[in-house]
Amino acid sequence: MWRTNLLLVLALIPASFCGPVNTLQKRGNVSFADPRTNNGSFLDNAGDGFSEPLNVVISGTSSPAVLTDEGFIGFAGAVGFAPECLGAHLGGPQSADLGDGNGFQNQTFELREDFGNFALGTCIEQLLGGNHLRLFRQNGSLADTGALFLAVSLEMGLLENHTIAENGYDVGRDNLVKKAVGLTSFNGTTYNTTAQNLTGVMPTGNATINHGIAVDGNAVLLIVEIVDTTQPG
């Protein structure tokens, strides 16, 4: 069974993955559209009336290859995230309305901290806890920006039922941003990432927030540029 699950993970990653090739054309010069403009939200739907913050946005002006599923997984590898352990997903999907005309859509996928081992490190995260993210794409007819909205949080391990750590939404966001800003690389592709604060995009406190963990109401916009792509030797 574990071999079958491993194949499912590897199916997300091209053979001899060497990072995205930045040949796609940009959609435009729009970083993202504020979901609240069209009755969306920076809070997703976690079920049972609770929500989790969409606290990191990958700008639609980033290198187009980064905004694809494959390309984002490559960038995620550069900042310490990878597909889930042996393809095994824990918990149900969450959904979000990004105000793009698509209404509520389930997350595209979930990635977890890999502790320096892209192939198997997420097994450690599922057992002991760590950072993880859910990805949602803004691509509806009302706001086809291509921006990626991430729900990032620091969670506890399996014995704690993956509940969110103390201050885990803000801490998870800040940990990801800290690792992302500046030059990073993964399998031959180098990224340069800059950050801008998005203040007050969601309510502060813990009202409706999953696990009763308070948030500071802020998100961070990341602009990710591919600056070099080489074929690994």
Side-chain angles (χ1 to χ4, degrees):
M1 177 63 71
W2 70 268
R3 293 179 184 275
T4 301
N5 288 335
L6 180 58
L7 290 175
L8 292 174
V9 174
L10 294 178
L12 291 171
I13 311 166
S16 302
F17 184 85
C18 58
V21 178
N22 191 29
T23 59
L24 302 175
Q25 292 186 348
K26 289 188 177 181
R27 295 169 182 252
N29 297 316
V30 179
S31 296
F32 68 98
D34 190 331
R36 299 170 294 177
T37 301
N38 290 312
N39 299 314
S41 178
F42 274 89
L43 297 173
D44 74 7
N45 179 8
D48 298 323
F50 293 100
S51 56
E52 297 195 356
L54 303 173
N55 49 16
V56 174
V57 181
I58 307 298
S59 173
T61 63
S62 299
S63 293
V66 173
L67 302 177
T68 67
D69 288 356
E70 174 188 323
F72 179 78
I73 289 173
F75 171 66
V79 297
F81 288 80
E84 295 183 281
C85 173
L86 303 178
H89 176 65
L90 301 179
Q94 296 183 10
S95 62
D97 183 349
L98 301 181
D100 59 359
N102 283 337
F104 279 94
Q105 296 290 315
N106 282 348
Q107 64 199 47
T108 303
F109 50 71
E110 188 168 347
L111 302 180
R112 297 180 182 276
E113 188 173 354
D114 67 11
F115 296 95
N117 185 329
F118 187 81
L120 296 173
T122 55
C123 299
I124 298 173
E125 195 281 340
Q126 288 195 353
L127 287 174
L128 302 180
N131 228 6
H132 78 309
L133 64 86
R134 304 171 190 268
L135 179 143
F136 304 87
R137 179 173 283 109
Q138 190 175 60
N139 62 358
S141 60
L142 298 182
D144 187 14
T145 68
L148 306 178
F149 286 66
L150 311 181
V152 187
S153 58
L154 180 66
E155 66 178 4
M156 306 295 285
L158 186 61
L159 293 180
E160 291 83 15
N161 296 314
H162 287 157
T163 190
I164 302 302
E166 183 178 358
N167 202 28
Y169 295 114
D170 295 345
V171 170
R173 173 200 63 204
D174 293 346
N175 286 347
L176 184 151
V177 170
K178 182 178 179 180
K179 290 181 178 180
V181 169
L183 294 176
T184 57
S185 62
F186 179 74
N187 277 12
T189 297
T190 300
Y191 308 88
N192 184 40
T193 302
T194 56
Q196 299 176 15
N197 292 325
L198 303 173
T199 58
V201 295
M202 67 192 84
T204 60
N206 65 356
T208 80
I209 303 298
N210 211 14
H211 306 290
I213 304 295
V215 299
D216 63 12
N218 303 325
V220 175
L221 177 70
L222 297 181
I223 303 95
V224 184
E225 293 288 341
I226 295 174
V227 294
D228 183 53
T229 301
T230 58
Q231 182 74 30

